[in-house]
Amino acid sequence: MLSQLEQEAITTAVQSLADLQLQINAENFIAECEVANPELKDLSALPWQGQSWFDLLPESQHDKANEALRRARAAPGTACRVDLEHLWPGGHQSIPISYRLIASPDGSSVFALGRDLRPETNLRQQLTNAQQSMEQDYWSMRQIENRYRHLFAMANDGFLVIDDMSMRVLEANPRATQLLAGDKESIVGRAFPIGMDGETAQRVTDAMNLARASGSQDLAIVLGNPATEGQLHIAFLRQGRESRFLIKITVIGANEAADRDGCRQLFESSPDAVLIVDDRGEVMDCNRTFLEWTQSVNHEQVIGRSMEHWIGRSSVDASVLLSNVSGSGTVRLYASVLNCRGGITMDIEISAARLPSATPRLALFIRDIARRVTTQHPMSQQLPGSIEQITRRVGQVPLKELVRESTDVIEALCIQAALELTHDNRASAAELLGLSRQSLYTKLRKYNIGDGSDLGQE
């Protein structure tokens, strides 16, 4: 088809396709050079004209270039292809060029039309790097899957992966198969629940529906024959358009049951009162010591009621204690009172901690300190110094004035202690001290405690 074009059109087409045009004379020197692509300015910087064509090539490619010239001169007018690399000045970089060599009819000159292969080389390098990265990711995923399979099979608890739509078992480790169907029968592909009576299966189905809404759910069940006590932890997981249930089956063995019974005996026989409450302060459990101190007849009189009924001079004590445990996880040596029947109160000291469980629970350890000298009270670190300052004035001022100053010191320390317990909440501190807010603000200004001008802080 190109034969139908005029000579000028053919020349224009060839020049647009070639990035580099060289004319090589009979002595293999470059007589003329033209860089047709203006974007390849670095090619123009090379010393082409007047140089031997072989001097611009690495020695390893001299034979290849000489053979290409020989073939081109042997068949004038025929394009001979050869891919070569030109040396960049300094020898640190090479430029790949794909040439078409065409000899003149008399064979005296050879025209070399070259195309820069660096974009193609860069693209191939990127593809190679991407392929190597994919292979590394593939082998990394294979190794992770292999470790997952081994851990899945070695686990002492049963693990199941269940499809949310079909409720069929997608994966099950050997322990789960043993607990639900025996050692010889596979449960993969079967509908879940498996190996449970009708009532237990319905409870498990209801728990899975709750887990779908809340994310996770715990359930105590009885498995197998003979009956074995177990615990199910159900987690709901979404992956793209698919959703799965991840179920862990833990069997409570004889040792675990014995440990649990031992902990219960220790809980009941503790000389200190122990109270288990939820995050709102409602009592979930208590020991016999707490029942004795509060003169309660049985657990039913305590469980379900707020701890504020027994602990604290007011509701502030309980709220401050709960907020501190929620913030830091533990509270130590919290001074308060225990309200018993008949209006009797006991000075107590409380240590509290958050229990690790699915539902938020707090354990309160209550000690009777009515007959104990408290050496760790925050006031003890400041009171001796203040009294010492007052006793130095004996003989200089009347006893009545010394007593009044001592009373002021103790009152100021009590106010500071109340502010520390309530995290500088003035309203709660006033209630804790049995004062009105206005009386507390007056005393704050009197003893220059805090920012006396900030009377609106709650």
Side-chain angles (χ1 to χ4, degrees), residues 69-369:
L69 287 174
R70 186 193 64 77
R71 288 189 287 112
R73 288 180 174 130
T78 302
C80 177
R81 176 179 174 176
V82 61
D83 294 339
L84 300 172
E85 292 186 0
H86 287 288
L87 291 177
W88 193 264
H92 299 295
Q93 185 180 359
S94 59
I95 303 176
I97 302 290
S98 179
Y99 282 106
R100 297 297 189 274
L101 303 182
I102 304 174
S104 60
D106 57 0
S108 59
S109 298
V110 176
F111 296 93
L113 307 178
R115 183 169 59 88
D116 190 355
L117 295 180
R118 282 179 294 180
E120 182 178 346
T121 302
N122 292 337
L123 181 60
R124 288 181 178 178
Q125 185 62 46
Q126 293 177 12
L127 291 174
T128 302
N129 294 339
Q131 183 179 5
Q132 290 178 350
S133 178
M134 290 177 63
E135 289 179 355
Q136 291 176 357
D137 293 342
Y138 170 75
W139 285 110
S140 178
M141 292 298 296
R142 286 291 300 271
Q143 292 172 358
I144 293 174
E145 183 181 3
N146 190 30
R147 292 194 294 268
Y148 156 75
R149 294 293 178 186
H150 278 80
L151 292 173
F152 199 60
M154 292 168 56
N156 292 326
D157 296 328
F159 288 93
L160 299 169
V161 180
I162 299 174
D163 180 57
D164 180 32
M165 296 296 295
S166 64
M167 295 300 291
R168 295 189 177 275
V169 179
L170 301 179
E171 296 183 60
N173 69 338
R175 180 58 171 162
T177 303
Q178 179 187 18
L179 291 173
L180 298 177
D183 295 329
K184 298 181 180 180
E185 187 177 359
S186 175
I187 62 174
V188 175
R190 295 176 57 183
F192 188 81
I194 304 170
M196 306 175 190
D197 57 37
E199 182 181 355
T200 303
Q202 184 60 45
R203 291 177 59 223
V204 172
T205 302
D206 294 341
M208 294 175 72
N209 291 332
L210 292 175
R212 187 183 290 109
S214 62
S216 64
Q217 196 71 22
D218 291 313
L219 179 67
I221 62 171
V222 177
L223 295 171
N225 188 16
T228 303
E229 186 177 356
Q231 183 78 18
L232 256 64
H233 177 73
I234 305 171
F236 185 70
L237 179 66
R238 294 190 184 276
Q239 295 177 324
R241 296 183 179 180
E242 299 179 345
S243 53
R244 301 284 187 265
F245 285 103
L246 307 180
I247 298 181
K248 174 185 175 183
I249 307 174
T250 303
V251 175
I252 301 177
N255 293 334
E256 293 174 339
D259 291 342
R260 186 176 60 183
D261 292 341
C263 291
R264 185 66 192 184
Q265 293 178 4
L266 178 63
F267 174 79
E268 290 291 347
S269 61
S270 172
D272 292 332
V274 182
L275 203 61
I276 307 297
V277 301
D278 61 15
D279 56 348
R280 296 174 299 177
E282 291 185 2
V283 178
M284 303 176 66
D285 200 358
C286 67
N287 67 347
R288 283 179 290 191
T289 304
F290 184 83
L291 295 178
E292 293 174 1
W293 287 359
T294 59
Q295 301 176 13
S296 302
V297 178
N298 50 40
H299 289 79
E300 286 71 17
Q301 292 185 343
V302 177
I303 294 176
R305 302 184 67 179
S306 175
M307 58 181 282
E308 298 176 358
H309 185 75
W310 297 278
I311 295 177
R313 297 177 181 86
S314 66
S315 60
V316 176
D317 273 19
S319 61
V320 170
L321 179 61
L322 291 175
S323 63
N324 277 274
V325 177
S326 300
S328 61
T330 60
V331 167
R332 296 179 178 88
L333 308 180
Y334 182 85
S336 185
V337 296
L338 184 68
N339 301 308
C340 309
R341 284 191 174 184
I344 301 174
T345 60
M346 293 172 51
D347 291 333
I348 60 173
E349 186 177 78
I350 303 174
S351 294
R354 180 177 293 276
L355 298 178
S357 61
T359 57
R361 293 190 300 171
L362 310 177
L364 277 62
F365 303 92
I366 305 171
R367 303 173 188 87
D368 181 7
I369 60 170

Side-chain angles (χ1 to χ4, degrees), residues 354-401:
R354 180 177 293 276
L355 298 178
S357 61
T359 57
R361 293 190 300 171
L362 310 177
L364 277 62
F365 303 92
I366 305 171
R367 303 173 188 87
D368 181 7
I369 60 170
R371 299 184 179 181
R372 189 178 70 184
V373 178
T374 308
T375 60
Q376 299 296 328
H377 197 279
M379 288 171 51
S380 64
Q381 299 175 1
Q382 300 180 10
L383 187 57
S386 301
I387 295 297
E388 185 177 352
Q389 293 175 3
I390 294 173
T391 55
R392 291 198 191 106
R393 302 179 63 190
V394 173
Q396 299 177 10
V397 295
L399 177 61
K400 184 182 296 186
E401 186 174 346

